[in-house]
Amino acid sequence: MSEATGSPSRPSDQAGEMLWGFWYPALRSEQLYGRKLARTMLLEVPLVVGRDSAGKAFALRDVCPHRAFPLSFGRFDGASVECAYHGWQFDAHTGQCRHIPSLTADSKLKCERIYAGSFPCEERDGYIWAFMTNPEGRAAVAGDPPPPPVPELPTFSPRYQTAQLWADLPCSVDHGIIGLMDPAHGPFVHQAWWWRTRRSIRDKAKQFEPIPDGFRMSPHAPSANSAPYKILKLITGEPATTTIDFVLPNQRFEQIRAGRYWLSSRTTVTPIKRDLCRLDFIAAWNILPWFPVVSFILHVLGPRFIRQDTEVIEKQGLGLKYEDRMMLVDDADRQARWYFELKAALLESRRTGEPLRHPMSGPVTLRWRS
Ligand code: FES
Ligand SMILES: [Fe+2]
């Protein structure tokens, strides 16, 4: 399928908008230890994140409701965070004010009615996740639906290894995400003899299908022109298939299966600020644990890939200052178009209360050269 879509276009009014009501990775688990209060930011909300004395993670808006002092400068006793300015204490999980030291015994002020902003928080797959309800961190009220389950990395056997990679991307979340699903930059940005070169550009045809809140590149044999997949075939002796899903707001899942061997990865591009996002990549695999070929690929080649993408995004920023428009051309940019359409459809369905109207009506084959 190839429509002529070569005209400059701004695919939706929502471009650049950050999506509330989703789980986002706030920190990697390893960044948080002991009674430490860690400072971070999601969707332009400053957060203070920690673990209570039972090890359960919490995330509060890092702004004291009294006079906006960052709570992250305060003390934490394993249950409450104490603001360092006037010593107000807040429950680490609910943000409810527990104590105001300046009040006299006969004070009428009900300190339990005061709240610091708080966000549902859970730890999974090596990340501390926060559910970004709204910018203020207002607690859910009776009748609000509970947050959905925290996103989970699919795994397919009881024993496996994992690795995490990450990078800051100095761009809006939209540019970060469409960079993630862009097949046409590979031969130019990620040139390497063992991966692909300009000379290896060839015709591709991939089948896509709609899935809830996203789309799937249907299971297919991985690109024949990339060496890592050739290695995989060599070591497993089985033909590999790969499936790639994109799911709103920001998640790309990729599964490679070859017989009983598998590799499963998830990449998220999380908005930190309007012009900054963070890429988080986690992979799990059970391929030859005694022979660290996958670990080598991920730890040596993965960072190199991410560096190449980061560099491209930094340079792109130089141009975006002058021309914040984009062209989405034909099938190579079709996934980017679906992303913008899905995002617009989600916002529309939230506005109207109607179910999300998926931009794809059924399976589609896209063709491009890369
Ligand atoms: S600003 Fe936090 S207690 Fe006053
Ligand atoms: Fe890339």
Side-chain angles (χ1 to χ4, degrees), residues 4 26-27 121 138 195 227 269 284 288 291 298 320 324 326 337:
L27 291 172
C121 186
R138 265 178 280 113
W195 180 248
V269 174
L288 303 193
F291 181 59
L298 291 175
L320 283 173
D324 190 9
M326 53 175 88
R337 188 174 288 276

Side-chain angles (χ1 to χ4, degrees), residues 65-66 88-90 94-98 100 109-116:
H66 181 213
W88 292 22
Q89 290 174 8
F90 302 93
T94 63
Q96 188 174 39
C97 186
R98 293 272 184 247
I100 297 182
L109 186 89
K110 295 197 168 21
C111 84
E112 67 277 8
R113 296 222 183 129
I114 299 171
Y115 281 85

Side-chain angles (χ1 to χ4, degrees), residues 202-224:
R202 57 177 78 176
D203 283 22
K204 302 272 169 64
K206 298 270 165 35
Q207 167 129 355
F208 288 82
E209 58 197 276
I211 57 175
D213 290 355
F215 51 88
R216 165 170 298 165
M217 188 190 287
S218 313
H220 61 281
S223 297

Side-chain angles (χ1 to χ4, degrees), residues 310-354:
T310 311
E311 221 180 283
V312 155
I313 279 175
E314 277 165 10
K315 291 177 180 162
Q316 183 189 26
L318 301 174
L320 283 173
K321 279 205 291 251
Y322 304 101
E323 184 74 69
D324 190 9
R325 295 203 301 180
M326 53 175 88
M327 284 169 85
L328 298 175
V329 296
D330 270 346
D331 285 7
D333 289 336
R334 185 64 51 88
Q335 297 177 73
R337 188 174 288 276
W338 286 335
Y339 162 68
F340 285 113
E341 289 170 355
L342 275 167
K343 195 171 161 182
L346 175 90
L347 292 168
E348 178 66 7
S349 94
R350 285 184 176 171
R351 200 178 57 77
T352 60
E354 300 288 315

